Amino acid sequence: MAFTYYYTVRFQDTDAAGVVYFANVLKICHEAYEVSLATSGINLKSFFTNPSVAFPVVHANVDFLRPMYCGDNLVISLLPEKIGLDKFEITYEITVDEVMVAKAITRHVCIDVSSKNKQELPNYMNNWLETNHRDAEGAERRRSREEVM
């Protein structure tokens, strides 16, 4: 089963027009990413606090398909993919009532924290990517079968 994160839009997430402020979509996606790491057994405190390696976001984008409002129950599906020895990308599909309302992407590169040089992804991240990608492939196959029917 693909990693899925549930989030209820709060008033603080919205802008003056009453819809989710664009930057907050990436905040919500990053929260889903953090929860997926913790769920797979990665210790978030050591992951984010004085690590020897880091995974900074080097690219991010969001496509807004429909507005999201305070009180909406979002379902965020993470679809990670390894795109090199030292980088990965996560696609986030955000739905409300089974309708896709946004799609986001974050691209991350693995670096040695002290030298700031790129390095190969460590085993724990490869394991996280493999587990979630395998699950994502199953979800994509199910979705394509549903479209054919």
Side-chain angles (χ1 to χ4, degrees):
M1 176 183 262
F3 186 81
T4 304
Y5 182 69
Y6 301 91
Y7 184 86
T8 301
V9 176
R10 294 163 180 81
F11 178 71
Q12 67 190 14
D13 298 320
T14 63
D15 61 15
V19 298
V20 172
Y21 181 63
F22 74 96
N24 286 337
V25 172
L26 289 172
K27 176 191 75 74
I28 294 165
C29 289
H30 200 277
E31 187 174 310
Y33 165 57
E34 291 177 32
V35 172
S36 75
L37 293 171
T39 299
S40 71
I42 294 172
N43 181 305
L44 293 183
K45 186 173 184 177
S46 60
F47 188 85
F48 289 113
T49 308
N50 299 316
S52 58
V53 296
F55 309 93
V57 174
V58 294
H59 174 79
N61 71 16
V62 182
D63 290 321
F64 298 93
L65 309 172
R66 298 188 181 193
M68 294 168 271
Y69 301 98
C70 185
D72 279 349
N73 294 310
L74 307 181
V75 178
I76 300 107
S77 299
L78 274 72
L79 308 164
E81 182 178 359
K82 186 173 180 177
I83 56 173
L85 294 175
D86 59 358
K87 58 186 150 249
F88 63 94
E89 185 172 90
I90 307 170
T91 299
Y92 305 86
E93 294 179 349
I94 304 167
T95 60
V96 175
D97 296 329
E98 299 184 21
V99 174
M100 190 175 302
V101 295
K103 190 172 186 175
I105 294 173
T106 57
R107 189 172 305 131
H108 305 251
V109 66
C110 179
I111 62 167
D112 175 83
V113 171
S114 56
S115 70
K116 306 292 189 254
N117 291 325
K118 292 181 185 179
Q119 71 172 50
E120 286 189 29
L121 294 165
N123 287 338
Y124 63 89
M125 285 305 287
N126 282 317
N127 293 339
W128 174 81
L129 285 160
E130 184 178 312
T131 299
N132 287 287
H133 184 67
R134 187 177 322 119
D135 294 342
E137 287 175 338
E140 289 170 9
R141 280 194 300 274
R142 281 191 304 277
R143 191 174 305 117
S144 66
R145 278 196 310 268
E146 291 169 0
E147 290 172 3
V148 171
M149 299 170 119

